[in-house]
Amino acid sequence: MLRCHIPPQCAPAPLARRGTLPTATAAVRCARPPRAVVASAAAAAQVAAAVPTAERRGLAERLRMGSLLDDGLSYKESFVVRSYEVGINKTATVETIANLLQEVGCNHAQSVGFSTDGFATTTTMRELGLIWVTNRMHIEIYKYPAWGDVVEIETWCQADGRIGTRRDWIIKDLANGEVIGRATSKWVMMNVNTRRLQRVSDEVRDEVFVHCPKTPRLAFPEENNGSLKKIPILTDPAHHSRLGLVPRRADLDMNQHVNNVTYIGWVLESIPQDIIDTHELQTITLDYRRECQHDDIVDSLTYIEEAEEESSNGSLFAAPHPEEQRQFLHCLRFAGKGDEINRGRTVWRKLAR
Amino acid sequence: MGALSLCLIKLKLVGLIEPLTNEQAVPQCLSVYADIIRKASPEECNTVRGTDEQSGHAPIALMATPASQSAGRITHRLCFFGNPEKTKSSILSVERCDNGGGRGGRNIRCANAVNGAVKINGKAADVRSSAAHPVTVDSDDDDTFRLGKFVEGRLVYRQRFVIRSYEIGPDRTATMETLMNLLQETALNHVMSSGLAGDGFGATRQMSLRKLIWVVTRINIQVDKYSQWGDVVEIDTWVASSGKNGMRRDWIIRDRRTKKMIARATSNWVMMNRETRKLSKIPEEVREEVLPFYLDRNIIAGDNPNPNRRIEKLTDATAESVRSGLEPRWSDMDVNQHVNNVKYIGWILESVPLNVLIEYHLTSITLDYRRECRQSQLLESLTTMSSTGMPSPSLSSADLQSTHLIRQQDDKAEIVRARAEWRCKEHH
């Protein structure tokens, strides 16, 4: 199941509870039904008008220090970590990193001509009524930057299977070129009218992927890496939880949906305080399943995940992690045992104090 | 070097910090190169104060640097020096360039420029032009990492920001929270670039020695026009004294493209001991530190007949709506383990009726900080909306006014009072 971008044509939330919507397996379940969708030239024109004027773009681009690489296949941008993006550890928070990944992804899309309304669609996509929806996000951070550090993020996208696309990032400390983080995300295309997943047709593929590497390039090339690990359904009672989380207005993005990054914050809400005090988030994986809007109430649940070890006869058994590492599974769901919104996994490493 | 009217010397310090005492490493690690920049007037120069740590000289003359990056900030990579002719003293040095907030920072023993000859820790440096890293610095460009620069001598600090996509709110413009965050960032960079910074975020060296920090008591922001994704804003800030023991900091926000002012703000600060949490007078040593940076220019008070008009304290009886159970998230905390100042705006706006948020622009907000808030507290947000019958403190007339209160849920102790003004969106 997928997170969907609901176009701004959506009606304000009905007070009825979710779960009454039909559950066709191939369809994307939305938290609320859309109004009539306008997928016409008029809409395309409206979107095109949102593209900044050349002058404004030039000014921002000069300041941004971001540009396509020479081969045009990836995009690199540098960011200074600002004071208010830094958390109690005096280092950038994972939400800051996620925000920067999103920003550089948007800027990449914009620089190759995708729309700037927040949907990053091509002309053909708009004509066909197609939008991107996020499926999975996986971020690994090896070293958190501090206030004033400059990080350089390179991003690119490529096809992923028949219906999907992936966007990868590599984060470097600009001072010494050290890789301090990597991330990857999976996206699928959805038809706003039918709300069904749609294969990337050849004409769309040409438009979208002309700017992407032809040979696969992965931020996580190693086999069996964390970005591929499945996140199971969580059925046991949670070890820790934080109930009744409510989206703030500040959590809404420019399309009235809860920002991707807010989910990260909610996942972290139910991590026990002693972990937060003594450990640092190394990896976070989120599977997006449903969308969340302003008047929803969310429960955040955390489960301790034991490591898997192979015993001598080859079967797996659960064992505690090494002292330096803790691992959790997460579930965000609508309050009161409602439907799943996200599933997640986090891995924490002990801080050297 | 004499031929250059204003010379920018960049020391490429990547990876060289540790072996500075190694004689052999010194010339090797100096890819010092000079770039000619525009013929800037001295007023456009950045200034850095420094002391020669080794000889223990008292704070020396202000050193003019041409570019926007100054030694107090991100200086484990780059250090800037100006043309020694512009300085009043014959010896310039910058000490302890570390990046304030990081763990431990990275110390650089920097260079001396003695009558034009640049030395690094006493060893002569080879200053030459290098084509390897051409840097075009024109009057419109900031330094490479968008740090600010001093203008008007050394009194006003200016920095530019691009509005990022995640700083945009549901009505597709930058949020008031974003603006407040950028104001805070500019203020902190101002302190860092002044060479005054101690170990805290914004505290000067003398303050840190005495465990003192600045605490904001009031801030007023007036916004004429909200920016959009990709807009470039330019923020000017300066400080002045406020009464005997307070400081005032003002800001102007300009749209870089239209060059028009789109917002302005003023704030009042007092000094507090960070351990006892008691207010403190400004010690004489701190006053000496900050006095040279004061600029007595008012940006808001001039229009405002009574800028410190008291904000009414709402009660359960007088509030139109109360929203309880507001819980600070752990990401709301700042480095001092307190709820970040800016977050209060979010909570205040949470209890404004949705139709107001959709149909009106927030044109002015004044926040009166009464008490600190630690994470464990549950909070309540009280709101009363009223149509204008009262004189409006801001330039443009307001259609709506509102009064707010954030208080602790258990003992009703007040945390923040606020007053806001709103203008109907169609009026633009």
Side-chain angles (χ1 to χ4, degrees), chain B residues 167-379:
Chain B
E167 296 173 326
I168 302 293
D171 52 1
R172 294 179 168 250
T173 57
T175 60
M176 180 63 88
E177 284 194 36
T178 296
L179 293 180
M180 258 192 86
N181 278 330
L182 295 180
L183 296 183
Q184 175 189 319
E185 178 73 3
T186 313
L188 287 172
N189 286 336
H190 182 193
V191 176
M192 294 298 289
S193 301
S194 313
L196 288 177
D199 57 3
F201 271 57
T204 68
R205 216 170 286 120
Q206 293 295 329
M207 286 171 66
S208 297
L209 289 174
R210 292 165 176 71
K211 304 196 191 342
L212 296 172
I213 53 175
W214 287 116
V215 175
V216 64
T217 54
R218 172 179 273 246
I219 182 166
N220 175 5
I221 307 174
Q222 293 172 15
V223 180
D224 298 324
K225 188 171 183 324
Y226 284 90
S227 305
Q228 296 177 323
W229 176 29
D231 281 352
V232 178
V233 297
E234 184 176 84
I235 304 184
D236 284 357
T237 186
W238 61 92
V239 290
S241 65
S242 168
K244 260 183 52 184
N245 282 304
M247 181 182 75
R248 175 169 57 87
R249 177 178 282 283
D250 286 355
W251 296 266
I252 286 183
I253 305 182
R254 239 176 257 115
D255 182 313
R256 181 83 187 104
R257 185 174 49 97
T258 64
K259 311 273 199 289
K260 290 207 177 111
M261 182 177 77
I262 55 175
R264 54 217 172 123
T266 181
S267 60
N268 291 93
W269 302 73
V270 295
M271 204 167 278
M272 181 172 81
N273 185 305
R274 69 161 181 265
E275 286 180 359
T276 67
R277 314 308 295 184
K278 287 194 180 309
L279 295 183
S280 154
K281 291 202 202 316
I282 301 185
E284 203 48 44
E285 293 87 344
V286 176
R287 203 182 288 280
E288 274 173 16
E289 263 184 326
V290 298
L291 212 54
F293 290 89
Y294 278 179
L295 171 65
D296 195 9
R297 171 185 301 170
N298 284 311
I299 190 62
I300 289 184
D303 315 313
N304 188 342
N306 188 0
N308 291 314
R309 183 159 59 103
R310 285 170 60 85
I311 301 178
E312 171 203 341
K313 179 177 174 183
L314 291 180
T315 63
D316 289 289
T318 57
E320 278 171 1
S321 66
V322 179
R323 190 167 155 148
S324 304
L326 297 171
E327 198 167 8
R329 300 177 190 164
W330 76 278
S331 60
D332 293 333
M333 314 297 284
D334 64 14
V335 287
N336 297 318
Q337 304 259 11
H338 291 100
V339 174
N340 188 309
N341 282 336
V342 175
K343 296 296 176 178
Y344 295 115
I345 289 194
W347 285 320
I348 286 168
L349 295 179
E350 284 298 311
S351 48
V352 171
L354 192 58
N355 70 300
V356 173
L357 294 171
I358 292 176
E359 295 162 24
Y360 291 81
H361 280 306
L362 175 61
T363 53
S364 165
I365 186 162
T366 306
L367 291 138
D368 212 348
Y369 295 91
R370 321 285 290 180
R371 196 181 268 104
E372 313 183 273
C373 173
R374 289 186 177 266
Q375 189 182 11
S376 46
Q377 311 289 346
L378 273 183
L379 299 172

Side-chain angles (χ1 to χ4, degrees), chain A residues 80 187 207 293 336 341:
Chain A
V80 187
W187 302 69
E207 243 188 4
Q293 274 161 310
I341 301 173

